[in-house]
Amino acid sequence: MEEDGSDIRVERVRVFNEQGELEKVYLRDKMGVRFADLSDVADDLDYLEKRPSDV
């Protein structure tokens, strides 16, 4: 949620190494800007299921 009350959508990006181990997690908006992950906020599964495939 932005300061002006608007809602922005970001995706949680998980980066794995060659062994399949999680190395880092961050949030990214549609413009590619990275944000620190909020580990206490779960993925919005309803949004992920409904979002267009080109997002």
Side-chain angles (χ1 to χ4, degrees):
M1 190 72 74
E2 291 291 312
E3 285 184 22
D4 65 0
S6 62
D7 183 17
I8 61 166
R9 289 292 176 168
V10 293
E11 62 183 344
R12 182 168 280 129
V13 179
R14 294 173 176 88
V15 180
F16 296 87
N17 63 22
E18 292 178 0
Q19 291 76 34
E21 300 164 335
L22 184 63
E23 289 203 345
K24 63 181 170 180
V25 180
Y26 60 89
L27 301 175
R28 179 177 63 193
D29 69 7
K30 290 184 179 184
M31 302 274 301
V33 177
R34 293 182 182 189
F35 299 88
D37 185 29
L38 302 173
S39 58
D40 60 333
V41 178
D43 287 330
D44 184 346
L45 297 178
D46 288 337
Y47 172 73
L48 293 174
E49 290 174 359
K50 296 176 187 174
R51 73 180 188 166
S53 59
D54 63 340
V55 175

